[in-house]
Amino acid sequence: MARILIVDDSPSQLLGIQRIVEKLGHESLTAEDGAAGVEVAKRELPDMVLMDVVMPNLNGFQATRTLSREATTKHIPVILVTTKDQDTDRMWGLRQGAKAYLTKPFSEDELAEVIERIFSTSEMPPSTAA
């Protein structure tokens, strides 16, 4: 079981993603905007971050860039999970340090596949994997 931080300013999206993450057997942490997400990531050091892009205070691109450049959090894979579906958005998100980009709406299977793929290629496996 991994600890996955979900960052989304939409309560319904946050709850929906949280249900999927927990159904997959992972522990979830949540934050309601990019700034809070960065703080929770620094404090809790989750195994992965699922990050929305369009949020107040600090958008997902900015938060991802911050996490990918911080010494204490740069090892944490970030998956951008967003309604922004343009190729330029995808390229920009990956340039900020995201390991994957998933466009909403998505299926439970699509999210599970991306999470598994990132964990299987990550340098750091989930903390509770043994």
Side-chain angles (χ1 to χ4, degrees):
M1 174 171 77
R3 295 174 69 229
I4 299 177
L5 171 60
I6 305 158
V7 185
D8 200 309
D9 63 322
S10 164
S12 60
Q13 288 288 321
L14 195 64
L15 184 59
I17 296 170
Q18 186 175 20
R19 285 182 177 151
I20 294 170
V21 164
E22 291 175 358
K23 184 177 178 185
L24 293 170
H26 302 296
E27 178 186 345
S28 66
L29 306 166
T30 61
E32 296 177 357
D33 64 49
V38 168
E39 291 309 310
V40 172
K42 286 179 181 179
R43 184 178 66 243
E44 299 291 333
L45 298 176
D47 298 302
M48 176 179 284
V49 178
L50 301 176
M51 179 83 68
D52 186 23
V53 170
V54 181
M55 295 183 290
N57 299 325
L58 196 66
N59 71 42
F61 292 141
Q62 295 165 319
T64 298
R65 183 172 53 244
T66 299
L67 292 175
S68 68
R69 292 181 180 173
E70 264 308 303
T72 57
T73 56
K74 67 182 180 182
H75 68 281
I76 302 169
V78 176
I79 299 172
L80 290 170
V81 183
T82 180
T83 56
K84 294 181 74 62
D85 62 356
Q86 300 297 307
D87 287 341
T88 53
D89 296 321
R90 182 179 307 272
M91 279 186 5
W92 185 246
L94 296 174
R95 288 184 68 187
Q96 303 316 300
K99 301 297 182 201
Y101 195 99
L102 184 62
T103 305
K104 297 175 186 175
F106 53 84
S107 70
E108 184 176 321
D109 289 342
E110 288 171 315
L111 181 59
E113 186 276 325
V114 171
I115 290 171
E116 180 58 36
R117 179 169 43 87
I118 297 304
F119 278 146
S120 70
T121 60
S122 177
E123 295 173 15
M124 229 179 136
S127 59
T128 52

